[in-house]
Amino acid sequence: MSEIYRTDAGGGSAAAGGRHRGPHSPAQARGTVRQVLLEQSHGQGAACTPDTLSDALLVASELTTNAMLHGGGITDFDAEIVGQNLYLSVSDRERRRPVMRSPVDRQGRFRCGGRGWPIVCRLSRDVLVSDLPSGGKRVTAVIPLSAEYGHPADRT
């Protein structure tokens, strides 16, 4: 990945005591995704529809918010186009994996929150969660940019 799209100029990782890598907010993550889609997609011929842009921005927001709320903070963020796919990766300090939660609790009451991970899974072609050697995890969502694959939410 080109250093132009990394959100940290240094090589240190927060988990290893280095500097924080990644946006400090979902808004910054969305800005990075917009920049990558505008600059890289035109250069690589990977067209981005308005629906795809919306999906990518929402997935970036959800992944960074989840890292902030449940993962001890964002330690790294990458956005890269490979072929006809956008790869969004967010790392955090927590090894615990994301889980799907029922929207209602045991008493049948609707829960606040708990909808971000299902949104990420629904809008992404593939989602990979991997442990990091220094601790924590990296969540990578693959979002198709090509219309030939259709919208992920439309697939069964």
Side-chain angles (χ1 to χ4, degrees), residues 54-94:
S54 295
D55 291 351
L57 296 177
L58 183 53
V59 169
S61 290
E62 292 298 339
L63 289 178
T64 53
T65 298
N66 286 349
M68 294 167 69
L69 293 177
H70 309 294
I74 302 163
T75 58
D76 197 9
F77 178 89
D78 292 317
E80 180 178 25
I81 294 175
V82 178
Q84 295 294 313
N85 297 302
L86 172 66
Y87 285 74
L88 292 178
S89 296
V90 179
S91 300
D92 63 40
R93 293 177 177 87
E94 178 62 55

Side-chain angles (χ1 to χ4, degrees), residues 14-46:
R19 288 193 307 231
H20 170 84
R21 296 177 69 159
H24 295 281
S25 70
Q28 290 174 345
R30 290 189 303 271
T32 299
V33 169
R34 271 193 184 96
Q35 178 183 1
V36 168
L37 287 173
L38 286 173
E39 294 176 11
Q40 279 192 3
S41 67
H42 292 294
Q44 295 182 15

